[in-house]
Amino acid sequence: MKLSEKIIYVECFMIITVTWFVSMSHGQINDVAEAPGIPTNGLDTNWYDARATFYGDIHGGDTQHGACGYTDKPVYGLATVALSTVLFNNGYTCGACYEVMCAPNPQGCLPGVVKITATNLCPPESAWCNLPNKHFDLTQPMFLKIAQYKTGIVPIKYRRVPCSRTGGIKFETKRNPNFLMILAYNVGGAGDITGMQVKGSKTGWITMSRNWGQNWSTNAALTGQSLSLMVTTSDGITKVFTNVMPSNWGFGQTYDGKSNF
């Protein structure tokens, strides 16, 4: 047998062995993990490897703020995660949903899967969260669903999944008459927004710039006009929210899109 053939044989044997071990370690949930990911609404739902830790206390203390701008937004609760730099993608991944499970590990893994939303950035200076590491810093309640507290850090499997939300997308207005910034949250479907446009009752469509997290901004003067918003998520789906803000809209207010992805 040639050397190249031996290498291919060994690699195949290792893949089969690992697949069998994952199945035996986690039971039925790994029937899903073993199967190739099937894109859902344009999402890559394949399973990938990463590591996970936790931050905050058992009540979610210090996890309700973050680099996405969702400060104290109850729609996300404690089922959230701070992503490492490479996964955070400069904030474009804010709002995305994941399924996470502990990889086979006899030292502290628990069976089961948790579904979480990306709401924060894990500090880049952290040894686990800097480039090029793929890392999930979970809230403590979520971590304890997949691993024992004493483990501290565990290998995981993760994948993107569609976000299920109740009610319409919420649009929160900020700043001043010369600089409009809108935070979009409670976004269903892909969950993460890649583009937003605004249209006043006296203007055409204006492309907004992502300011930080999921805050989108424009310098256009739009006060006194009813506003429509066009939102595009990372799976390429675009939805228009017509006259979502009345002509007397104000800053520091939240408006309901009435529908969702």
Side-chain angles (χ1 to χ4, degrees):
M1 184 180 291
K2 296 180 180 179
L3 177 60
S4 60
E5 293 176 338
K6 290 182 178 179
I7 293 174
I8 293 173
Y9 175 82
V10 171
E11 288 180 344
C12 290
F13 176 78
M14 291 176 66
I15 291 171
I16 293 170
T17 302
V18 170
T19 301
W20 175 84
F21 184 72
V22 170
S23 177
M24 293 301 291
S25 299
H26 277 77
Q28 292 184 343
I29 63 169
N30 281 278
D31 292 341
V32 177
E34 291 171 18
I38 300 174
T40 304
N41 294 332
L43 293 179
D44 174 11
T45 57
N46 284 294
W47 290 91
Y48 295 98
D49 296 319
R51 290 185 178 274
T53 50
F54 65 86
Y55 73 117
D57 59 30
I58 192 63
H59 304 293
D62 298 326
T63 67
Q64 302 299 302
H65 304 79
C68 291
Y70 304 135
T71 301
D72 298 325
K73 296 295 182 283
V75 295
Y76 299 120
L78 299 180
T80 61
V81 62
L83 296 175
S84 61
T85 301
V86 67
L87 294 173
F88 190 69
N89 191 25
N90 198 32
Y92 277 102
T93 313
C94 289
C97 293
Y98 295 87
E99 283 184 341
V100 173
M101 63 180 175
C102 196
N105 177 6
Q107 300 179 354
C109 272
L110 299 175
V113 177
V114 294
K115 186 174 181 180
I116 50 177
T117 300
T119 61
N120 203 355
L121 170 66
C122 184
E125 62 272 16
S126 165
W128 294 110
C129 295
N130 59 10
L131 291 169
N133 295 321
K134 293 182 178 181
H135 191 83
F136 286 66
D137 205 12
L138 303 168
T139 61
Q140 188 177 141
M142 292 299 103
F143 183 86
L144 294 179
K145 288 180 180 292
I146 64 169
Q148 297 175 14
Y149 181 91
K150 64 181 181 181
T151 57
I153 181 169
V154 290
I156 61 167
K157 296 283 187 181
Y158 75 92
R159 68 173 178 174
R160 283 287 300 272
V161 291
C163 301
S164 300
R165 304 296 183 207
T166 300
I169 294 179
K170 304 297 188 292
F171 300 100
E172 181 181 330
T173 57
K174 305 178 182 181
R175 302 304 287 268
N176 58 64
N178 299 312
F179 186 80
L180 171 62
M181 189 158 69
I182 295 177
L183 168 69
Y185 64 97
N186 196 48
V187 181
D192 49 341
I193 295 173
T194 56
M196 187 182 296
Q197 297 182 58
V198 61
K199 181 180 181 297
S201 52
K202 299 177 182 178
T203 73
W205 286 106
I206 300 168
T207 299
M208 304 183 77
S209 300
R210 196 183 62 83
N211 194 283
W212 64 277
Q214 280 298 354
N215 288 282
W216 297 77
S217 61
T218 178
N219 290 319
L222 296 170
T223 54
Q225 302 180 53
S226 58
L227 302 183
S228 299
L229 294 168
M230 184 186 300
V231 178
T232 301
T233 48
S234 66
D235 55 1
I237 298 177
T238 298
K239 191 173 182 64
V240 175
F241 300 84
T242 304
N243 296 326
V244 66
M245 297 164 57
S247 58
N248 63 344
W249 64 270
F251 295 96
Q253 304 295 316
T254 299
Y255 298 88
D256 192 337
K258 304 296 184 182
S259 61
N260 218 315
F261 286 88

